[in-house]
Amino acid sequence: MDVELTEVRDFLASHEPFSALPREALRTLVTRLTVRYYRRGSVLCALGEQAQHLFILRSGAVDLHDNRGILIERCEEGQSLAITSLIDRAPATYSFTAHEDCLVLLLPAEVFHELCDSQPVFQQYYLRRRNKVKAGVESMHATHQGGAILRTRLREIISGDMVATESDTSVSEAVRIMAEATSSGLLLVDDGELVGIFTDHDLRVHVVASGHSLSLPVRIFMTDSPASVDVDAMAFEALLEMVSRNIDHMPVTERGRPVGLITSRDLMRLEHTNPIYLAGDIAKQKDLNSLIDVARRRGRVVQQLVAQDASADDIGRIVTAIGDQVTRRLIQLAESELGSPPVPYCWVALGSQGRFEQGPSSDQDNALVLDDAYDESEHGEYFLRFSEFVVAGLARCGYALCPGDVMASNHKWRQPLAVWRQQFRSWIFAPSSEALLGAQIFFDLRPVHGAEHLGRALQEQIATDAPGNARFLTHLASHAVARQPPLGFFRKFVVAKEGDHEKTFDIKTTGIGPIVELARVLSLARGLRQVNTMERLRAAHDAGLLNDEAAEDLADSLEFISYVRLHHQAAQLAAGQEPDNHLLPEQLNPFDRRHLRDAFQVIRKQQSALAYLHKTHLLS
Amino acid sequence: MIRLFGDRIDQRRRREAERAGGVLADCLATPLPDRATPAGQLPILAVDFETTGLDPAQDKLLSIGFVAVNGTEIDLGTAASFVINAHAEVGQSATVHGLTDDQLAAGCPLEEAVAATVTALSGRIMLAHFADVEENFLDAACRSLFGAGLPLASIDTMMLQQKIREDNNERGSIRLWGARERWGLPVYKAHEALTDALACAELYLAQLTELGEDTPLKKLLGWSH
């Protein structure tokens, strides 16, 4: 008996990713499919529905719309749909509607996952497609950008605890409750029913200005039966409501019961987490305390960017831009407090900030390159106080002090250019393994403020001196290959054994660190001037140090590992925790685990290649 | 052959079952879906035969293809196709079905192909494009192989297409490949039994979007008459 459905097989074989499947796999695949016909206008998979199938479009056309009804893509014959929902095992973030009458092949979800497991080409194709679709959504949103206020529901922004009391509470007690909760409004709730609202405005105008006693019950001055808004309303609906009623406070209710209070300020603040507003706000802050408040908003920025599925590379650049802005503002504040600097200087960022790869948990690494006119006895005091001001300010803005003390406040890292030149020469020409272990991040230096030429001079020197020096490169390479990613991850999770982080693994040191170090060695070996890891990989590829496959694999791996890390950190931020790098293996979905394993394999492979190239085994 | 409806077909199936042997007895013993069953829930088998001509008394059955349709979904895992060693020269009919004498010589015995079809038809309504050919050849094959006929209730996509064409005051072809064009269905290489069975099943799903998934079997059979 010959059961080959040649028409279906040939159709699949002429479209990616099925074209890459072995003949036998394709033949089996055909028998797992079902066929349906969708009339124009009917829905294949609704927004918010968990897709049960991969939909392969046999004929016709299907439209993808996002949650705001924006047309994202019109899919044609041969395309596969509902990829993101299947891969993420999450409700569909788009709706799929037949634009024309469609004949559709349906591949059940479990078969899809089996194929992802057994056929790497299959999985890779869909991962790329998924990211492409998401990128498509991003670009659509960029053009339809109306800000967070158009996308956010009140539920997401009202705080956990409702500020409320009973209506016969005294005004003085009511004011105390408001002060304690730093709320400008108070809900009055009797027996679970909302009876009124009392605000700062009521206190000023109706109580104090009219000379009433604070011991009177607040009920006398409250607004009775205030207009309220449902917790599932969009933020802009609440704002419109407030504008039309000329009020600044509104109770939020869920099925008629009060659950919180929303203010026009809360709503306007939504726009403040837009990175552009934030950068602008940072530059406007007049003192340290207000700067601290603004700088700490970057956690929300990261959460939003992750929610919008921006790439890890982009998020790193945005967070770094905010870090640079905070640094510059602190330096300006320091100068206005201490007076103009006696000699020119350049503030340089090192490590992740230097590489444009700051994240929400990054600590600070920085240094000060002073003009050679610097005289310790004359100018030492100024730059000590200056750097301490900035370093302490950064710490208060949430950039933790560097545990290795690589900061401008450390005398050793606050030196004239000539001393720095000598320092880099000694690292490069008389390298010791130990010294280089701590010094690697200095090779990621980038001028942030001040006389940039001082920082640039060091960058030039590194680019000139490093390439010819085999011993130096070999030492760096041996560090870069020393820490191997946990490949046994799937069978038995290789996890940290000590302290709070029992049963977790550190995604920064085991995943991101090795790629950063690989890229750094490659870049220094050729005297390339890039500091960003993605750019270093691209430049190393262009210089012929990495072949197409290796460059692409490393870049994809870095993006994927960083993506997993950012999702983890955004979830922590959302839960009110400090973001860290410690992942619980079980919090990863099977797809992430699989892909993480692939990424780790890429790293191990490239580490071996680097070790061979630089003969690290010959190091005594 | 006269098509039978309602109780009459069940009566005939019971009568044939008394004489039938082997897989045919089992098939006849399995009740067909109730006539009130909506199309969206019908168990169906789309079938296509390639033959040397239209008369089962003279012409030979050369190949069979079938695939199950469950309500509004074709299950490709059920697809089967057979080339039959018919001990006949294909002659001019090769220009239609493309089967060569060599292919047929390498085929399976008629009994194997017919038995598989009869088994697959247990409890299912047959679906074909111009179903007379399949009904007549299957009935004749069953008589010679299993000692009894196989009375069938079948849905005919050609007749459904004709009804839709009349309802909408359209012109256009009711032949399989022409009808498919009307629904925007893909172009296949015509006249290979399994491809034709699949093509017919797809056409039927398209037609259902017009006729409605809640159309009872009774109506589908009536329109197929």
Side-chain angles (χ1 to χ4, degrees), chain A residues 142-404:
Chain A
T143 53
H144 289 73
Q145 193 59 268
I149 200 157
L150 294 177
R151 302 188 293 273
T152 311
R153 290 184 189 277
L154 295 182
R155 189 184 293 282
E156 298 165 42
I157 47 176
I158 59 166
S159 53
D161 294 321
M162 177 169 71
V163 184
T165 186
E166 290 171 348
S167 65
D168 56 8
T169 310
S170 68
V171 170
S172 60
E173 173 63 7
V175 170
R176 197 195 58 73
I177 295 171
M178 288 160 69
E180 192 170 275
T182 59
S183 172
S184 57
L186 179 69
L187 295 183
L188 299 158
V189 179
D190 293 340
D191 302 323
E193 292 288 332
L194 177 72
V195 294
I197 184 173
F198 182 73
T199 67
D200 277 355
H201 175 80
D202 296 328
L203 176 70
R204 283 199 312 274
V205 177
H206 300 130
V207 186
V208 179
S210 315
H212 288 294
S213 162
L214 296 186
S215 59
L216 287 167
V218 71
R219 150 169 38 87
I220 301 173
F221 309 104
M222 72 184 187
T223 303
D224 288 322
S225 325
S228 64
V229 59
D230 190 83
V231 70
D232 282 321
M234 305 300 290
F236 79 92
E237 296 177 80
L239 188 61
L240 281 180
E241 206 50 42
M242 288 189 207
V243 169
S244 66
R245 291 169 187 272
N246 195 24
I247 52 175
D248 291 312
H249 297 77
M250 266 184 115
V252 180
T253 56
E254 181 162 22
R255 276 174 268 119
R257 296 267 163 171
V259 291
L261 178 69
I262 193 92
T263 68
S264 55
R265 255 192 79 166
D266 293 335
L267 298 172
M268 294 313 290
R269 194 175 296 143
L270 274 181
E271 289 304 299
H272 287 197
T273 48
N274 182 321
I276 295 168
Y277 282 94
L278 182 51
D281 280 359
I282 288 169
K284 272 186 256 164
Q285 298 313 308
K286 302 242 182 308
D287 59 60
L288 183 57
N289 284 332
S290 55
L291 182 61
I292 290 165
D293 285 344
V294 178
R296 291 199 176 255
R297 291 208 315 249
R298 71 184 185 281
R300 278 289 291 167
V301 172
V302 171
Q303 286 180 61
Q304 281 198 359
L305 289 167
V306 167
Q308 292 163 10
D309 220 16
S311 75
D313 189 32
D314 288 347
I315 294 176
R317 285 173 184 281
I318 291 167
V319 173
T320 305
I322 294 169
D324 287 0
Q325 197 75 288
V326 171
T327 309
R328 286 189 197 110
R329 190 69 197 123
L330 281 168
I331 290 173
Q332 288 159 356
L333 291 174
E335 287 189 4
S336 66
E337 183 159 320
L338 303 170
S340 302
V343 297
Y345 68 87
C346 179
W347 184 279
V348 296
L350 308 170
S352 62
Q353 190 184 0
R355 295 189 307 269
F356 298 98
E357 289 160 19
Q358 260 188 330
S361 69
S362 295
D363 55 15
Q364 52 172 313
D365 303 297
N366 45 57
L368 207 50
V369 184
L370 303 164
D371 189 273
D372 283 334
Y374 171 80
D375 177 344
E376 174 84 41
S377 59
E378 217 178 312
H379 312 128
E381 179 66 14
Y382 177 92
F383 285 109
L384 171 65
R385 291 178 58 196
F386 170 84
S387 56
E388 278 181 345
F389 182 100
V390 179
V391 165
L394 283 170
R396 293 189 59 195
C397 287
Y399 301 93
L401 297 174
C402 168

Side-chain angles (χ1 to χ4, degrees), chain A residues 2 7 31 34-37, chain B residues 73-74 76-77 81 183 188-189:
Chain A
D2 171 21
E7 291 285 349
T31 67
T34 58
V35 184
R36 284 189 205 160
Y37 187 87
Chain B
E73 192 169 284
I74 304 167
L76 295 187
S81 106
W183 301 97
Y188 292 158
K189 295 189 291 282

Side-chain angles (χ1 to χ4, degrees), chain A residues 42 47 51 65-67 97 114 147 228 259 273 297 304 312 323 352-353 365 378 399 433 445 456 460 543 549 603:
Chain A
S42 60
L47 186 77
H65 291 93
D66 75 354
N67 56 353
T97 312
E114 276 169 34
S228 64
V259 291
T273 48
R297 291 208 315 249
Q304 281 198 359
S352 62
Q353 190 184 0
D365 303 297
E378 217 178 312
Y399 301 93
S433 179
L445 78 86
R456 299 255 171 261
E460 286 306 311
E549 190 194 353
I603 297 171

Side-chain angles (χ1 to χ4, degrees), chain A residues 515-552:
Chain A
I515 302 181
V516 166
E517 294 184 28
L518 276 166
R520 184 189 293 128
V521 181
L522 292 170
S523 164
L524 290 172
R526 269 300 163 89
L528 306 171
R529 282 158 178 78
Q530 287 76 7
V531 283
N532 175 259
T533 303
M534 282 291 186
E535 287 178 10
R536 278 176 168 169
L537 291 173
R538 260 193 295 276
H541 169 256
D542 294 345
L545 292 170
L546 287 172
N547 63 28
D548 294 353
E549 190 194 353
E552 198 176 314

Side-chain angles (χ1 to χ4, degrees), chain B residues 42-71:
Chain B
L42 267 184
I44 290 175
L45 191 74
V47 179
D48 184 75
F49 288 179
E50 299 296 329
T51 60
T52 56
L54 294 177
D55 180 3
Q58 292 176 22
D59 295 315
K60 299 276 189 182
L61 182 51
L62 301 179
S63 79
I64 296 179
F66 60 76
V67 63
V69 181
N70 300 312

Side-chain angles (χ1 to χ4, degrees), chain A residues 447-493:
Chain A
V448 169
H449 192 82
E452 287 205 6
H453 69 272
L454 296 171
R456 299 255 171 261
L458 289 175
Q459 288 182 313
E460 286 306 311
Q461 182 183 322
I462 296 166
T464 313
D465 290 350
N469 205 297
R471 262 180 61 78
F472 165 70
L473 294 170
T474 303
H475 276 295
L476 277 190
S478 74
H479 289 311
V481 304
R483 217 161 19 203
Q484 300 198 324
L487 260 185
F489 192 65
F490 287 89
R491 293 183 299 279
K492 204 167 68 177
F493 299 121

